[in-house]
Amino acid sequence: MKKLIILCILILCLNAKEYRHISTFGFLSNGTSLQNFKDGQIAFSLWIEELASLYDSKLDVEYYTDKNDILHEFTTKNFLDMIVIPVPFYFENKKQIDEISDDFWSVSINDKKYIKYILIARKKLNAKSFKDLKDKKIILNEENNISETWLDKQSIIYNNKRYKDVVREAFYEKKESTILLRVFFGKSDFGVISENVWDTMLELNPAIKNRVDIVASSKKEHFPFIGFFKKESNKDIREIFFNITSDLKQFPKSEQIIDLLKFDTVFKIEKDSLQNLEKFYNEYYDLRKRVDNVNSF
């Protein structure tokens, strides 16, 4: 019996795969399509692990639902080599993150690196600016706090109040196309969507312009999320990651994953290109602090 056990152990050891590199990536599932599809998370994990194996490497994926938890794991432990978080949260913790991070990246949607957001309204309102939000209904994307941040900043500038203190009711949808349709059918007074969704929906139904107006637009400088590696992480793993993502379509099952996550390509973010966004968020946090202090009295 002992000989049999020893033989089994030897067989397992001989068959155990040796990896050149082992790494763990952390993804914040909230704010992406992975939030709503448990089987999507499994598919994504298996796909990443399969791609890594092509390079004789092992890559594990960990999902988090709390952005503070994933940041804590990244900054205080040696468990995670790379994480993905919301852009506003990055700028809230920029100094702490930049000290230990490198190789920033994001994804493009419909071959566009940067996203432009628009405030739309029912045409009958004849809305001209963010001042017209007062006592109205607005609908936002529940998976995108970037568009909400832009709306909040503009509301403070125009109304000296955060948008939730201006509108009568704010509610949320998972899909931007649904937001547009709700405004189109008069179910909401205002909505915030990306310009890309507006253009796509307009191609499908040009009559949208007869019922919906674009009231205001953001600058074209936003991206859906930000990912980055720990500076001390293995450089070979980073190289493998960017090699794989430089041409995803050459790898098996990539088309299904791209369709699931709604992106086209991965691109590196140069630190210099973050300056305009940093200014945007710094202004927003200063404005928010100012109105919050006023309302606290």
Side-chain angles (χ1 to χ4, degrees):
M1 183 65 179
K2 286 184 179 179
K3 289 182 179 180
L4 180 60
I5 293 173
I6 293 170
L7 180 61
C8 289
I9 292 172
L10 286 172
I11 292 172
L12 288 172
C13 290
L14 288 171
N15 289 333
K17 183 172 177 60
E18 292 186 8
Y19 297 101
R20 286 196 301 138
H21 310 292
I22 299 175
S23 190
T24 304
F25 291 175
F27 289 85
L28 189 71
S29 57
N30 290 352
T32 73
S33 56
L34 295 175
Q35 173 180 343
N36 303 306
F37 301 102
K38 286 292 182 184
D39 55 341
Q41 292 185 8
I42 294 170
F44 181 67
S45 300
L46 291 174
W47 173 70
I48 277 209
E49 290 166 9
E50 186 176 329
L51 293 186
S53 69
L54 297 176
Y55 292 81
D56 294 324
S57 300
K58 179 175 173 56
L59 178 56
D60 294 320
V61 176
E62 292 288 331
Y63 293 102
Y64 294 79
T65 57
D66 188 297
K67 56 183 182 290
N68 291 301
D69 286 346
I70 192 173
L71 183 62
H72 177 75
E73 290 279 332
F74 184 73
T75 55
T76 64
K77 301 179 182 179
N78 293 321
F79 177 54
L80 297 173
D81 297 304
M82 187 273 286
I83 64 170
V84 170
I85 59 173
V87 177
F89 187 62
Y90 161 69
F91 283 105
E92 283 185 73
N93 300 276
K94 184 177 185 298
K95 185 177 179 181
Q96 179 187 13
I97 291 170
D98 284 356
E99 287 176 353
I100 62 170
S101 303
D102 203 358
D103 282 335
F104 289 66
W105 63 278
S106 190
V107 298
S108 64
I109 298 171
N110 290 339
D111 294 324
K112 296 176 182 178
K113 281 187 178 182
Y114 299 104
I115 301 170
K116 183 178 183 178
Y117 294 102
I118 56 175
L119 176 68
I120 58 174
R122 290 191 296 114
K123 186 175 281 289
K124 288 183 178 180
L125 288 178
N126 197 29
K128 301 299 181 185
S129 76
F130 291 89
K131 288 185 177 182
D132 296 308
L133 289 171
K134 187 176 179 181
D135 296 328
K136 298 296 191 300
K137 289 183 179 181
I138 189 166
I139 185 166
L140 300 164
N141 185 349
E142 72 176 17
E143 296 182 352
N144 187 336
N145 59 357
I146 299 172
S147 58
E148 186 175 22
T149 299
W150 172 68
L151 171 68
D152 204 31
K153 180 181 179 182
Q154 299 307 312
S155 178
I156 296 170
I157 291 171
Y158 281 84
N159 303 306
N160 290 314
K161 291 181 180 179
R162 301 186 67 174
Y163 82 92
K164 287 186 177 179
D165 297 321
V166 174
V167 301
R168 182 169 80 253
E169 183 181 2
F171 52 108
Y172 305 87
E173 284 286 350
K174 292 182 176 68
K175 294 182 179 180
E176 289 187 333
S177 56
T178 305
I179 294 173
L180 177 53
L181 290 174
R182 285 193 174 276
V183 176
F184 178 80
F185 288 112
K187 302 297 183 181
S188 179
D189 299 308
F190 289 90
V192 180
I193 61 173
S194 66
E195 184 184 48
N196 176 61
V197 168
W198 170 266
D199 291 341
T200 301
M201 294 290 284
L202 204 61
E203 285 183 15
L204 296 173
N205 183 7
I208 285 172
K209 269 192 171 182
N210 298 331
R211 293 192 187 182
V212 182
D213 283 334
I214 296 178
V215 179
S217 304
S218 76
K219 291 182 179 178
K220 199 168 190 175
E221 59 187 0
H222 303 279
F223 36 79
F225 60 74
I226 189 165
F228 41 83
F229 286 82
K230 190 171 286 185
K231 283 181 179 178
E232 63 190 41
S233 64
N234 190 305
K235 289 187 177 180
D236 289 336
I237 285 289
R238 295 191 231 170
E239 186 177 341
I240 289 170
F241 174 80
F242 288 112
N243 280 343
I244 289 173
T245 55
S246 64
D247 188 7
L248 284 172
K249 292 178 181 178
Q250 69 173 307
F251 295 100
K253 301 180 184 176
S254 293
E255 288 190 10
Q256 298 98 303
I257 298 299
I258 289 171
D259 183 61
L260 174 69
L261 299 181
K262 310 300 180 190
F263 74 95
D264 295 306
T265 57
V266 172
F267 67 93
K268 279 191 176 184
I269 299 172
E270 301 299 330
K271 284 286 188 75
D272 292 345
S273 68
L274 291 172
Q275 290 177 354
N276 288 338
L277 270 185
E278 183 176 5
K279 181 182 177 184
F280 170 87
Y281 283 100
N282 285 342
E283 288 173 351
Y284 169 63
Y285 295 131
D286 287 342
L287 288 167
R288 192 176 70 180
K289 187 184 297 183
R290 188 191 74 197
V291 296
D292 287 347
N293 286 340
V294 168
N295 292 332
S296 65
F297 290 102

PDB file of all heavy atoms in Angstrom, residues 267-295:
ATOM      1  N   PHE A 267      -4.602  49.260 -24.895  1.00  0.00           N
ATOM      2  CA  PHE A 267      -3.524  50.199 -25.214  1.00  0.00           C
ATOM      3  C   PHE A 267      -2.856  50.702 -23.940  1.00  0.00           C
ATOM      4  O   PHE A 267      -3.485  50.807 -22.888  1.00  0.00           O
ATOM      5  CB  PHE A 267      -4.034  51.385 -26.046  1.00  0.00           C
ATOM      6  CG  PHE A 267      -4.982  52.301 -25.311  1.00  0.00           C
ATOM      7  CD1 PHE A 267      -4.509  53.420 -24.637  1.00  0.00           C
ATOM      8  CD2 PHE A 267      -6.346  52.042 -25.298  1.00  0.00           C
ATOM      9  CE1 PHE A 267      -5.388  54.269 -23.971  1.00  0.00           C
ATOM     10  CE2 PHE A 267      -7.227  52.886 -24.632  1.00  0.00           C
ATOM     11  CZ  PHE A 267      -6.744  53.995 -23.963  1.00  0.00           C
ATOM     12  N   LYS A 268      -1.565  50.996 -24.049  1.00  0.00           N
ATOM     13  CA  LYS A 268      -0.820  51.554 -22.929  1.00  0.00           C
ATOM     14  C   LYS A 268      -1.163  53.028 -22.754  1.00  0.00           C
ATOM     15  O   LYS A 268      -1.362  53.751 -23.732  1.00  0.00           O
ATOM     16  CB  LYS A 268       0.685  51.399 -23.154  1.00  0.00           C
ATOM     17  CG  LYS A 268       1.232  50.033 -22.804  1.00  0.00           C
ATOM     18  CD  LYS A 268       2.757  50.054 -22.799  1.00  0.00           C
ATOM     19  CE  LYS A 268       3.322  48.721 -22.356  1.00  0.00           C
ATOM     20  NZ  LYS A 268       4.807  48.753 -22.248  1.00  0.00           N
ATOM     21  N   ILE A 269      -1.217  53.463 -21.513  1.00  0.00           N
ATOM     22  CA  ILE A 269      -1.478  54.864 -21.204  1.00  0.00           C
ATOM     23  C   ILE A 269      -0.162  55.518 -20.791  1.00  0.00           C
ATOM     24  O   ILE A 269       0.470  55.097 -19.819  1.00  0.00           O
ATOM     25  CB  ILE A 269      -2.493  55.003 -20.048  1.00  0.00           C
ATOM     26  CG1 ILE A 269      -3.826  54.364 -20.421  1.00  0.00           C
ATOM     27  CG2 ILE A 269      -2.685  56.465 -19.671  1.00  0.00           C
ATOM     28  CD1 ILE A 269      -4.804  54.291 -19.262  1.00  0.00           C
ATOM     29  N   GLU A 270       0.245  56.510 -21.542  1.00  0.00           N
ATOM     30  CA  GLU A 270       1.435  57.261 -21.160  1.00  0.00           C
ATOM     31  C   GLU A 270       1.075  58.231 -20.040  1.00  0.00           C
ATOM     32  O   GLU A 270       0.013  58.849 -20.058  1.00  0.00           O
ATOM     33  CB  GLU A 270       1.979  58.026 -22.374  1.00  0.00           C
ATOM     34  CG  GLU A 270       2.348  57.145 -23.554  1.00  0.00           C
ATOM     35  CD  GLU A 270       3.432  56.134 -23.218  1.00  0.00           C
ATOM     36  OE1 GLU A 270       4.269  56.444 -22.343  1.00  0.00           O
ATOM     37  OE2 GLU A 270       3.430  55.037 -23.804  1.00  0.00           O
ATOM     38  N   LYS A 271       1.968  58.376 -19.081  1.00  0.00           N
ATOM     39  CA  LYS A 271       1.695  59.224 -17.922  1.00  0.00           C
ATOM     40  C   LYS A 271       1.344  60.657 -18.338  1.00  0.00           C
ATOM     41  O   LYS A 271       0.476  61.298 -17.740  1.00  0.00           O
ATOM     42  CB  LYS A 271       2.916  59.248 -17.000  1.00  0.00           C
ATOM     43  CG  LYS A 271       3.093  57.991 -16.157  1.00  0.00           C
ATOM     44  CD  LYS A 271       2.082  57.957 -15.030  1.00  0.00           C
ATOM     45  CE  LYS A 271       2.367  56.825 -14.070  1.00  0.00           C
ATOM     46  NZ  LYS A 271       3.520  57.084 -13.192  1.00  0.00           N
ATOM     47  N   ASP A 272       2.012  61.160 -19.378  1.00  0.00           N
ATOM     48  CA  ASP A 272       1.759  62.542 -19.820  1.00  0.00           C
ATOM     49  C   ASP A 272       0.322  62.733 -20.283  1.00  0.00           C
ATOM     50  O   ASP A 272      -0.250  63.814 -20.148  1.00  0.00           O
ATOM     51  CB  ASP A 272       2.714  62.923 -20.967  1.00  0.00           C
ATOM     52  CG  ASP A 272       4.155  63.033 -20.488  1.00  0.00           C
ATOM     53  OD1 ASP A 272       4.358  63.100 -19.260  1.00  0.00           O
ATOM     54  OD2 ASP A 272       5.064  63.045 -21.342  1.00  0.00           O
ATOM     55  N   SER A 273      -0.270  61.654 -20.826  1.00  0.00           N
ATOM     56  CA  SER A 273      -1.627  61.766 -21.364  1.00  0.00           C
ATOM     57  C   SER A 273      -2.675  61.848 -20.263  1.00  0.00           C
ATOM     58  O   SER A 273      -3.850  62.087 -20.533  1.00  0.00           O
ATOM     59  CB  SER A 273      -1.923  60.582 -22.284  1.00  0.00           C
ATOM     60  OG  SER A 273      -2.000  59.372 -21.543  1.00  0.00           O
ATOM     61  N   LEU A 274      -2.267  61.638 -19.010  1.00  0.00           N
ATOM     62  CA  LEU A 274      -3.195  61.705 -17.892  1.00  0.00           C
ATOM     63  C   LEU A 274      -3.327  63.113 -17.307  1.00  0.00           C
ATOM     64  O   LEU A 274      -4.147  63.338 -16.414  1.00  0.00           O
ATOM     65  CB  LEU A 274      -2.748  60.744 -16.775  1.00  0.00           C
ATOM     66  CG  LEU A 274      -2.860  59.252 -17.074  1.00  0.00           C
ATOM     67  CD1 LEU A 274      -2.190  58.451 -15.961  1.00  0.00           C
ATOM     68  CD2 LEU A 274      -4.312  58.835 -17.225  1.00  0.00           C
ATOM     69  N   GLN A 275      -2.526  64.048 -17.809  1.00  0.00           N
ATOM     70  CA  GLN A 275      -2.508  65.381 -17.203  1.00  0.00           C
ATOM     71  C   GLN A 275      -3.854  66.091 -17.296  1.00  0.00           C
ATOM     72  O   GLN A 275      -4.312  66.709 -16.326  1.00  0.00           O
ATOM     73  CB  GLN A 275      -1.413  66.234 -17.850  1.00  0.00           C
ATOM     74  CG  GLN A 275      -0.015  65.782 -17.474  1.00  0.00           C
ATOM     75  CD  GLN A 275       1.075  66.582 -18.163  1.00  0.00           C
ATOM     76  OE1 GLN A 275       0.804  67.416 -19.026  1.00  0.00           O
ATOM     77  NE2 GLN A 275       2.315  66.330 -17.787  1.00  0.00           N
ATOM     78  N   ASN A 276      -4.485  66.030 -18.464  1.00  0.00           N
ATOM     79  CA  ASN A 276      -5.790  66.697 -18.620  1.00  0.00           C
ATOM     80  C   ASN A 276      -6.847  66.064 -17.726  1.00  0.00           C
ATOM     81  O   ASN A 276      -7.664  66.770 -17.121  1.00  0.00           O
ATOM     82  CB  ASN A 276      -6.242  66.647 -20.080  1.00  0.00           C
ATOM     83  CG  ASN A 276      -5.440  67.563 -20.974  1.00  0.00           C
ATOM     84  OD1 ASN A 276      -4.822  68.518 -20.509  1.00  0.00           O
ATOM     85  ND2 ASN A 276      -5.426  67.279 -22.263  1.00  0.00           N
ATOM     86  N   LEU A 277      -6.821  64.729 -17.651  1.00  0.00           N
ATOM     87  CA  LEU A 277      -7.777  64.046 -16.783  1.00  0.00           C
ATOM     88  C   LEU A 277      -7.509  64.352 -15.314  1.00  0.00           C
ATOM     89  O   LEU A 277      -8.440  64.508 -14.522  1.00  0.00           O
ATOM     90  CB  LEU A 277      -7.711  62.537 -17.010  1.00  0.00           C
ATOM     91  CG  LEU A 277      -8.625  61.955 -18.084  1.00  0.00           C
ATOM     92  CD1 LEU A 277      -8.517  60.434 -18.088  1.00  0.00           C
ATOM     93  CD2 LEU A 277     -10.064  62.363 -17.888  1.00  0.00           C
ATOM     94  N   GLU A 278      -6.239  64.440 -14.962  1.00  0.00           N
ATOM     95  CA  GLU A 278      -5.902  64.769 -13.576  1.00  0.00           C
ATOM     96  C   GLU A 278      -6.444  66.149 -13.212  1.00  0.00           C
ATOM     97  O   GLU A 278      -6.991  66.341 -12.120  1.00  0.00           O
ATOM     98  CB  GLU A 278      -4.383  64.731 -13.382  1.00  0.00           C
ATOM     99  CG  GLU A 278      -3.973  64.993 -11.948  1.00  0.00           C
ATOM    100  CD  GLU A 278      -2.471  64.861 -11.740  1.00  0.00           C
ATOM    101  OE1 GLU A 278      -1.738  64.655 -12.733  1.00  0.00           O
ATOM    102  OE2 GLU A 278      -2.029  64.955 -10.580  1.00  0.00           O
ATOM    103  N   LYS A 279      -6.316  67.088 -14.129  1.00  0.00           N
ATOM    104  CA  LYS A 279      -6.867  68.429 -13.901  1.00  0.00           C
ATOM    105  C   LYS A 279      -8.382  68.366 -13.735  1.00  0.00           C
ATOM    106  O   LYS A 279      -8.956  69.001 -12.846  1.00  0.00           O
ATOM    107  CB  LYS A 279      -6.507  69.342 -15.069  1.00  0.00           C
ATOM    108  CG  LYS A 279      -7.021  70.771 -14.918  1.00  0.00           C
ATOM    109  CD  LYS A 279      -6.659  71.608 -16.135  1.00  0.00           C
ATOM    110  CE  LYS A 279      -7.243  73.009 -15.998  1.00  0.00           C
ATOM    111  NZ  LYS A 279      -6.987  73.828 -17.216  1.00  0.00           N
ATOM    112  N   PHE A 280      -9.042  67.565 -14.585  1.00  0.00           N
ATOM    113  CA  PHE A 280     -10.495  67.407 -14.524  1.00  0.00           C
ATOM    114  C   PHE A 280     -10.924  66.899 -13.152  1.00  0.00           C
ATOM    115  O   PHE A 280     -11.843  67.449 -12.523  1.00  0.00           O
ATOM    116  CB  PHE A 280     -10.952  66.442 -15.626  1.00  0.00           C
ATOM    117  CG  PHE A 280     -12.390  66.014 -15.516  1.00  0.00           C
ATOM    118  CD1 PHE A 280     -13.400  66.765 -16.088  1.00  0.00           C
ATOM    119  CD2 PHE A 280     -12.740  64.842 -14.827  1.00  0.00           C
ATOM    120  CE1 PHE A 280     -14.733  66.370 -15.988  1.00  0.00           C
ATOM    121  CE2 PHE A 280     -14.063  64.445 -14.724  1.00  0.00           C
ATOM    122  CZ  PHE A 280     -15.059  65.214 -15.302  1.00  0.00           C
ATOM    123  N   TYR A 281     -10.276  65.842 -12.675  1.00  0.00           N
ATOM    124  CA  TYR A 281     -10.672  65.248 -11.396  1.00  0.00           C
ATOM    125  C   TYR A 281     -10.280  66.112 -10.202  1.00  0.00           C
ATOM    126  O   TYR A 281     -11.039  66.199  -9.225  1.00  0.00           O
ATOM    127  CB  TYR A 281     -10.102  63.832 -11.268  1.00  0.00           C
ATOM    128  CG  TYR A 281     -10.888  62.831 -12.078  1.00  0.00           C
ATOM    129  CD1 TYR A 281     -10.440  62.388 -13.319  1.00  0.00           C
ATOM    130  CD2 TYR A 281     -12.105  62.353 -11.621  1.00  0.00           C
ATOM    131  CE1 TYR A 281     -11.180  61.482 -14.076  1.00  0.00           C
ATOM    132  CE2 TYR A 281     -12.849  61.446 -12.369  1.00  0.00           C
ATOM    133  CZ  TYR A 281     -12.382  61.020 -13.587  1.00  0.00           C
ATOM    134  OH  TYR A 281     -13.125  60.138 -14.334  1.00  0.00           O
ATOM    135  N   ASN A 282      -9.125  66.756 -10.260  1.00  0.00           N
ATOM    136  CA  ASN A 282      -8.735  67.645  -9.162  1.00  0.00           C
ATOM    137  C   ASN A 282      -9.733  68.794  -9.014  1.00  0.00           C
ATOM    138  O   ASN A 282     -10.106  69.172  -7.893  1.00  0.00           O
ATOM    139  CB  ASN A 282      -7.332  68.197  -9.390  1.00  0.00           C
ATOM    140  CG  ASN A 282      -6.249  67.167  -9.125  1.00  0.00           C
ATOM    141  OD1 ASN A 282      -6.496  66.158  -8.460  1.00  0.00           O
ATOM    142  ND2 ASN A 282      -5.067  67.398  -9.641  1.00  0.00           N
ATOM    143  N   GLU A 283     -10.158  69.339 -10.153  1.00  0.00           N
ATOM    144  CA  GLU A 283     -11.168  70.405 -10.119  1.00  0.00           C
ATOM    145  C   GLU A 283     -12.472  69.878  -9.527  1.00  0.00           C
ATOM    146  O   GLU A 283     -13.126  70.555  -8.729  1.00  0.00           O
ATOM    147  CB  GLU A 283     -11.410  70.949 -11.530  1.00  0.00           C
ATOM    148  CG  GLU A 283     -10.265  71.783 -12.082  1.00  0.00           C
ATOM    149  CD  GLU A 283     -10.482  72.163 -13.537  1.00  0.00           C
ATOM    150  OE1 GLU A 283     -11.437  71.648 -14.167  1.00  0.00           O
ATOM    151  OE2 GLU A 283      -9.692  72.969 -14.063  1.00  0.00           O
ATOM    152  N   TYR A 284     -12.833  68.660  -9.934  1.00  0.00           N
ATOM    153  CA  TYR A 284     -14.082  68.086  -9.434  1.00  0.00           C
ATOM    154  C   TYR A 284     -14.038  67.880  -7.927  1.00  0.00           C
ATOM    155  O   TYR A 284     -14.984  68.248  -7.215  1.00  0.00           O
ATOM    156  CB  TYR A 284     -14.364  66.764 -10.137  1.00  0.00           C
ATOM    157  CG  TYR A 284     -15.487  65.985  -9.487  1.00  0.00           C
ATOM    158  CD1 TYR A 284     -16.788  66.495  -9.441  1.00  0.00           C
ATOM    159  CD2 TYR A 284     -15.245  64.748  -8.880  1.00  0.00           C
ATOM    160  CE1 TYR A 284     -17.823  65.791  -8.835  1.00  0.00           C
ATOM    161  CE2 TYR A 284     -16.271  64.043  -8.281  1.00  0.00           C
ATOM    162  CZ  TYR A 284     -17.553  64.569  -8.252  1.00  0.00           C
ATOM    163  OH  TYR A 284     -18.563  63.885  -7.633  1.00  0.00           O
ATOM    164  N   TYR A 285     -12.953  67.303  -7.426  1.00  0.00           N
ATOM    165  CA  TYR A 285     -12.871  67.046  -5.987  1.00  0.00           C
ATOM    166  C   TYR A 285     -12.844  68.336  -5.183  1.00  0.00           C
ATOM    167  O   TYR A 285     -13.415  68.410  -4.090  1.00  0.00           O
ATOM    168  CB  TYR A 285     -11.645  66.177  -5.680  1.00  0.00           C
ATOM    169  CG  TYR A 285     -11.735  64.796  -6.280  1.00  0.00           C
ATOM    170  CD1 TYR A 285     -10.689  64.247  -7.016  1.00  0.00           C
ATOM    171  CD2 TYR A 285     -12.899  64.040  -6.143  1.00  0.00           C
ATOM    172  CE1 TYR A 285     -10.781  62.987  -7.583  1.00  0.00           C
ATOM    173  CE2 TYR A 285     -13.002  62.784  -6.706  1.00  0.00           C
ATOM    174  CZ  TYR A 285     -11.952  62.257  -7.428  1.00  0.00           C
ATOM    175  OH  TYR A 285     -12.065  61.016  -7.998  1.00  0.00           O
ATOM    176  N   ASP A 286     -12.213  69.383  -5.720  1.00  0.00           N
ATOM    177  CA  ASP A 286     -12.215  70.686  -5.046  1.00  0.00           C
ATOM    178  C   ASP A 286     -13.627  71.277  -5.008  1.00  0.00           C
ATOM    179  O   ASP A 286     -14.069  71.797  -3.979  1.00  0.00           O
ATOM    180  CB  ASP A 286     -11.263  71.665  -5.752  1.00  0.00           C
ATOM    181  CG  ASP A 286      -9.801  71.337  -5.504  1.00  0.00           C
ATOM    182  OD1 ASP A 286      -9.523  70.591  -4.541  1.00  0.00           O
ATOM    183  OD2 ASP A 286      -8.942  71.807  -6.274  1.00  0.00           O
ATOM    184  N   LEU A 287     -14.327  71.187  -6.133  1.00  0.00           N
ATOM    185  CA  LEU A 287     -15.695  71.700  -6.201  1.00  0.00           C
ATOM    186  C   LEU A 287     -16.615  70.930  -5.261  1.00  0.00           C
ATOM    187  O   LEU A 287     -17.450  71.513  -4.554  1.00  0.00           O
ATOM    188  CB  LEU A 287     -16.225  71.600  -7.642  1.00  0.00           C
ATOM    189  CG  LEU A 287     -15.645  72.577  -8.662  1.00  0.00           C
ATOM    190  CD1 LEU A 287     -16.027  72.134 -10.079  1.00  0.00           C
ATOM    191  CD2 LEU A 287     -16.152  73.987  -8.404  1.00  0.00           C
ATOM    192  N   ARG A 288     -16.464  69.623  -5.249  1.00  0.00           N
ATOM    193  CA  ARG A 288     -17.312  68.780  -4.405  1.00  0.00           C
ATOM    194  C   ARG A 288     -17.084  69.086  -2.925  1.00  0.00           C
ATOM    195  O   ARG A 288     -18.036  69.164  -2.142  1.00  0.00           O
ATOM    196  CB  ARG A 288     -17.017  67.305  -4.689  1.00  0.00           C
ATOM    197  CG  ARG A 288     -18.035  66.352  -4.082  1.00  0.00           C
ATOM    198  CD  ARG A 288     -17.731  64.926  -4.474  1.00  0.00           C
ATOM    199  NE  ARG A 288     -16.526  64.431  -3.836  1.00  0.00           N
ATOM    200  CZ  ARG A 288     -16.031  63.196  -4.014  1.00  0.00           C
ATOM    201  NH1 ARG A 288     -16.645  62.358  -4.843  1.00  0.00           N
ATOM    202  NH2 ARG A 288     -14.943  62.809  -3.389  1.00  0.00           N
ATOM    203  N   LYS A 289     -15.821  69.258  -2.564  1.00  0.00           N
ATOM    204  CA  LYS A 289     -15.498  69.580  -1.176  1.00  0.00           C
ATOM    205  C   LYS A 289     -16.124  70.921  -0.783  1.00  0.00           C
ATOM    206  O   LYS A 289     -16.646  71.074   0.325  1.00  0.00           O
ATOM    207  CB  LYS A 289     -13.979  69.631  -0.998  1.00  0.00           C
ATOM    208  CG  LYS A 289     -13.530  69.801   0.455  1.00  0.00           C
ATOM    209  CD  LYS A 289     -12.017  69.934   0.549  1.00  0.00           C
ATOM    210  CE  LYS A 289     -11.323  68.683   0.051  1.00  0.00           C
ATOM    211  NZ  LYS A 289      -9.825  68.783   0.216  1.00  0.00           N
ATOM    212  N   ARG A 290     -16.083  71.868  -1.713  1.00  0.00           N
ATOM    213  CA  ARG A 290     -16.620  73.194  -1.430  1.00  0.00           C
ATOM    214  C   ARG A 290     -18.128  73.145  -1.164  1.00  0.00           C
ATOM    215  O   ARG A 290     -18.598  73.678  -0.157  1.00  0.00           O
ATOM    216  CB  ARG A 290     -16.337  74.143  -2.594  1.00  0.00           C
ATOM    217  CG  ARG A 290     -16.681  75.608  -2.321  1.00  0.00           C
ATOM    218  CD  ARG A 290     -16.631  76.398  -3.602  1.00  0.00           C
ATOM    219  NE  ARG A 290     -17.795  76.080  -4.441  1.00  0.00           N
ATOM    220  CZ  ARG A 290     -17.867  76.361  -5.735  1.00  0.00           C
ATOM    221  NH1 ARG A 290     -16.837  76.906  -6.357  1.00  0.00           N
ATOM    222  NH2 ARG A 290     -18.954  76.062  -6.417  1.00  0.00           N
ATOM    223  N   VAL A 291     -18.874  72.477  -2.039  1.00  0.00           N
ATOM    224  CA  VAL A 291     -20.329  72.435  -1.846  1.00  0.00           C
ATOM    225  C   VAL A 291     -20.715  71.557  -0.673  1.00  0.00           C
ATOM    226  O   VAL A 291     -21.691  71.840   0.023  1.00  0.00           O
ATOM    227  CB  VAL A 291     -21.063  71.978  -3.132  1.00  0.00           C
ATOM    228  CG1 VAL A 291     -20.855  72.960  -4.254  1.00  0.00           C
ATOM    229  CG2 VAL A 291     -20.651  70.582  -3.549  1.00  0.00           C
ATOM    230  N   ASP A 292     -19.958  70.502  -0.431  1.00  0.00           N
ATOM    231  CA  ASP A 292     -20.251  69.641   0.719  1.00  0.00           C
ATOM    232  C   ASP A 292     -20.035  70.395   2.027  1.00  0.00           C
ATOM    233  O   ASP A 292     -20.792  70.233   2.978  1.00  0.00           O
ATOM    234  CB  ASP A 292     -19.365  68.383   0.695  1.00  0.00           C
ATOM    235  CG  ASP A 292     -19.795  67.398  -0.387  1.00  0.00           C
ATOM    236  OD1 ASP A 292     -20.911  67.576  -0.937  1.00  0.00           O
ATOM    237  OD2 ASP A 292     -19.027  66.458  -0.680  1.00  0.00           O
ATOM    238  N   ASN A 293     -19.007  71.250   2.061  1.00  0.00           N
ATOM    239  CA  ASN A 293     -18.737  72.050   3.262  1.00  0.00           C
ATOM    240  C   ASN A 293     -19.844  73.071   3.487  1.00  0.00           C
ATOM    241  O   ASN A 293     -20.275  73.312   4.621  1.00  0.00           O
ATOM    242  CB  ASN A 293     -17.388  72.757   3.136  1.00  0.00           C
ATOM    243  CG  ASN A 293     -16.225  71.820   3.298  1.00  0.00           C
ATOM    244  OD1 ASN A 293     -16.353  70.731   3.845  1.00  0.00           O
ATOM    245  ND2 ASN A 293     -15.057  72.212   2.794  1.00  0.00           N
ATOM    246  N   VAL A 294     -20.328  73.672   2.400  1.00  0.00           N
ATOM    247  CA  VAL A 294     -21.402  74.664   2.508  1.00  0.00           C
ATOM    248  C   VAL A 294     -22.672  73.989   3.028  1.00  0.00           C
ATOM    249  O   VAL A 294     -23.365  74.526   3.908  1.00  0.00           O
ATOM    250  CB  VAL A 294     -21.673  75.328   1.145  1.00  0.00           C
ATOM    251  CG1 VAL A 294     -22.968  76.142   1.184  1.00  0.00           C
ATOM    252  CG2 VAL A 294     -20.498  76.208   0.746  1.00  0.00           C
ATOM    253  N   ASN A 295     -22.975  72.800   2.487  1.00  0.00           N
ATOM    254  CA  ASN A 295     -24.216  72.110   2.867  1.00  0.00           C
ATOM    255  C   ASN A 295     -24.158  71.482   4.257  1.00  0.00           C
ATOM    256  O   ASN A 295     -25.173  71.046   4.784  1.00  0.00           O
ATOM    257  CB  ASN A 295     -24.546  71.023   1.824  1.00  0.00           C
ATOM    258  CG  ASN A 295     -24.918  71.619   0.485  1.00  0.00           C
ATOM    259  OD1 ASN A 295     -25.420  72.742   0.414  1.00  0.00           O
ATOM    260  ND2 ASN A 295     -24.667  70.887  -0.588  1.00  0.00           N
TER     261      ASN A 295
END
